[in-house]
Amino acid sequence: MEALHQHGLCHLLAVAGIPGYAAPQLEPQPAYAGVGRLTVVDGRHLADGVWSPAEAAGWWLARCEELSGPHDEYGRWDPTGSLSWELRHTPPLDRWARELLPLAEARAAERGFPLVRIACWPGGAALACSGSHDIDHVRKWRLATLGSYLLGRGRPARIGRLQALREYLGGTEPWWRFDDIRELEQELGFDSTWFVIPRQRHRFDTPFTLQHRRDRQQVDALRAAGQEVGVHGSCAGLERTELAATERQEMESAMGVRQHWLRFTVGDSWPAQAAAGYCYDSSLGFTHGWGLRGGTAFPFAAWDHTTGNPLEMGELPLTVMDREGANDPQLPQKLLETVGGGHLNLLWHVAAFDDRDFPGYGEMYRRVIEAAQGAGAWFAPLAQVWEWWRRRARIELEPSKTGLTLNAPERLEGVVLHGPLKPPRGGSAIEGGVALPVVQGRLELEWS
C-alpha cells in the first residue's frame, strides 16, 4: 500500500505542478472511500473503508480495477459498469490534483516560503495534444470487398459496380491516405505518431506490415520525413507477451507501442512492454466510446503488479479514436473540457481520411486539432510528450531566504515557473512567473 500511496502522490503533485517542499500531508477522507473494494448495488458504486487521495490515485493509476471483472470475447477487459467508464469524461485524479493547491500553499507558508509551481507543458502551454495513426486496413479493394460491390451490397460508399471494378483493376487504393494526412498536418503545423504491425501473427492482424515492399517503403518515407513510427503490437501479444521484445526489434527499437485492437492487459502487457525497452505505451483507452480509462488526462508511469512498483515506462492514455463521436458536432469542445490542462491523445486510422467510406471523419480531425490550437495547446508526437513529462518530473526546487534553487538532472527547454521570481539571465518575465532558458543542472533564482 505504501508504494501505491507514493505512486499516486507523485502523480497528483506532478499534475498540480507542486514541488516537494510544498507537498501537503494527505489524510484519509471519506471523499476517497475504499476505491479498492468497490461493489455495485442497484447500479450504484458502494465502498467500505476510507482512503487518502494519494492512495486512491495509486489505485487508479495501477488499474487495480482491471485485475478482476469481465472480459470481452477478444480477451480485453470489459469496462461496462466500471468506475472508469462511469467517470470517463470527468477524470477524478485531475480534480484531486487541483484540490491540493490550497493545501500546498498552506504547507509552503508554514515553511516561510511562497508556493512556486512548475507549468505542465513547454512554454506554459494550456494543454498538450498529439495526433496518432494506426496503420490498419489501407487496402480496400480485395476480392471479398469487390464481390460485395458487384453484388450490390457495398457499403458505405455509394459507388456503382462499374466504378468499383475500374478502381480494383486500376490499382486505386482509396484508403491509402498517407499523403493527405501529411499534407493536412503540415498545413496545421505539427507532426504525428504512426503505429505499424511489423509482421502478421494473428488472424486479427492487418495485412500492412514490413513484410511487403510497398508497405516498408511507406514506413521508410515516414521516417525520412521525421515522423515517429511506433509498434502496433500484434493481437497475438496478449497470449505471447514475449512478442513485445520481438516486435520492437523488428521495428528498429521503436520508442512506443500501441496494441492492435487495444488488446492488452495491465497485469501482463505492461511488464512485458517495459522489459522489451519501450519508453511508453498508448493502449489504455476504450474500444467503444471515448474518455479517460485511467482517471487522468496526464501521462503516468505504468505499474508492475508482480513487484508492486512503478515501471520505467510511461502510459499515455488514449482519449478518443475516430469512429467514436465523429458525428457529434460538439466533440471538439467536449474533448477540451474533459482533458482540461492534460494531454489530448487522438487516434485517427489512415483509412478514416477517405471521405467516401468515412464521411466527415477527416474534417472532424481537423476541427479537433484547430480547437486545441485555439485553446493554446503544445503539439508533439507521443514519444516527445512522454520524454518531456518524464524529465519535468525530475526537477527539484529548494527554497531559501533569498530565492530558489532549481535542479534539473536532464536537459529541458521551455520550463515555466509560476511564482514571485525574477527572471534569470536568458530567461524572461511572464504573467505570474518566469520563463526559463534551457535548463540542466543547477540554476539559482531570486525572489521578486
Side-chain angles (χ1 to χ4, degrees):
M1 182 62 72
E2 178 59 33
L4 270 181
H5 176 279
Q6 189 63 27
H7 187 44
L9 178 61
C10 288
H11 181 74
L12 295 179
L13 295 179
V15 169
I18 297 172
Y21 78 85
Q25 295 293 323
L26 301 180
E27 300 297 332
Q29 302 174 41
Y32 311 101
V35 291
R37 295 179 293 279
L38 287 164
T39 58
V40 179
V41 178
D42 296 330
R44 298 183 59 193
H45 292 283
L46 304 176
D48 56 6
V50 179
W51 286 23
S52 78
E55 292 166 336
W59 179 88
W60 271 90
L61 297 175
R63 303 307 306 129
C64 295
E65 188 177 29
E66 302 190 21
L67 299 180
S68 60
H71 288 68
D72 66 15
E73 65 269 35
Y74 304 112
R76 301 172 299 197
W77 179 67
D78 185 352
T80 304
S82 69
L83 196 60
S84 297
W85 180 255
E86 180 181 320
L87 301 179
R88 65 192 184 279
H89 295 160
T90 54
L93 276 66
D94 301 347
R95 173 171 55 84
W96 299 345
R98 293 191 297 270
E99 291 171 355
L100 294 186
L101 289 175
L103 301 177
E105 290 179 350
R107 174 60 178 157
E110 287 176 7
R111 297 190 60 187
F113 304 112
L115 172 65
V116 175
R117 294 189 300 113
I118 308 170
C120 288
W121 306 114
L127 71 156
C129 183
S130 299
S132 67
H133 310 289
D134 293 356
I135 308 178
D136 290 350
H137 290 288
V138 292
R139 292 180 175 87
K140 175 179 180 176
W141 293 122
R142 295 165 290 169
L143 282 174
T145 313
L146 176 64
S148 68
Y149 274 85
L150 295 180
L151 292 172
R153 295 197 295 263
R155 293 291 185 273
R158 305 278 183 168
I159 63 175
R161 294 180 177 88
L162 184 57
Q163 184 177 353
L165 185 60
R166 283 174 178 167
E167 290 189 8
Y168 175 79
L169 295 176
T172 300
E173 293 289 1
W175 291 355
W176 193 277
R177 314 302 293 195
F178 295 95
D179 290 344
D180 296 328
I181 296 171
R182 289 288 297 123
E183 183 179 339
L184 171 63
E185 293 177 346
Q186 286 177 332
E187 175 192 339
L188 296 174
F190 72 100
D191 291 322
S192 55
T193 301
W194 308 72
F195 291 99
V196 179
I197 294 177
R199 180 186 296 268
Q200 275 187 301
R201 291 183 166 93
H202 192 280
R203 62 190 179 93
F204 295 148
D205 291 348
T206 52
F208 185 102
T209 71
L210 299 182
Q211 295 171 278
H212 303 294
R213 183 171 60 86
R214 186 185 180 192
D215 298 352
R216 179 179 285 278
Q217 287 174 342
Q218 180 61 64
V219 172
D220 289 342
L222 290 171
R223 287 189 174 126
Q227 301 291 286
E228 181 198 353
V229 178
V231 170
H232 202 28
S234 168
C235 278
L238 184 62
E239 293 82 16
R240 298 168 55 193
T241 56
E242 73 278 3
L243 287 180
T246 301
E247 292 179 324
R248 182 168 187 260
Q249 185 177 14
E250 291 171 342
M251 198 57 73
E252 301 177 13
S253 299
M255 294 186 68
V257 59
R258 176 183 290 144
Q259 294 301 132
H260 186 41
W261 282 20
L262 307 186
R263 194 169 186 259
F264 88 121
T265 62
V266 297
D268 296 325
S269 302
W270 271 348
Q273 292 166 343
Y278 288 109
C279 297
Y280 73 86
D281 169 72
S282 186
S283 306
L284 195 70
F286 294 109
T287 56
H288 300 287
W290 64 270
L292 297 163
R293 182 166 151 186
T296 181
F298 292 83
F300 59 90
W303 187 261
D304 189 336
H305 285 277
T306 300
T307 65
N309 288 292
L311 292 159
E312 293 292 328
M313 182 187 78
E315 177 61 41
L316 298 176
L318 177 62
T319 314
V320 61
M321 70 171 71
D322 42 41
R323 68 170 178 260
E324 309 302 338
N327 297 320
D328 182 356
Q330 301 303 315
L331 181 66
Q333 188 57 38
K334 289 178 180 178
L335 289 172
L336 292 179
E337 291 173 356
T338 293
V339 168
H343 177 218
L344 177 56
N345 187 354
L346 308 172
L347 162 54
W348 251 248
H349 294 82
V350 174
F353 291 83
D354 172 30
D355 203 49
R356 274 192 336 195
D357 280 319
F358 305 97
Y361 282 41
E363 180 58 28
M364 181 57 74
Y365 184 70
R366 174 190 285 273
R367 288 189 56 211
V368 172
I369 295 295
E370 290 178 341
Q373 288 177 329
W378 169 60
F379 284 80
L382 292 173
Q384 190 175 341
V385 170
W386 171 247
E387 191 61 17
W388 165 270
W389 191 258
R390 184 189 68 79
R391 294 187 182 196
R392 171 187 173 273
R394 300 191 65 193
I395 292 177
E396 296 178 350
L397 301 180
E398 186 58 43
S400 67
K401 291 182 179 180
T402 58
L404 195 71
T405 300
L406 177 147
N407 184 41
E410 298 181 77
R411 186 180 187 277
L412 265 180
E413 183 176 358
V415 175
V416 167
L417 299 180
H418 296 293
L421 296 166
K422 295 179 181 179
R425 183 186 299 273
S428 60
I430 61 171
E431 184 177 357
V434 294
L436 303 182
V438 175
V439 296
Q440 184 171 10
R442 295 172 64 87
L443 178 65
E444 301 296 336
L445 300 160
E446 298 180 4
W447 300 119
S448 61

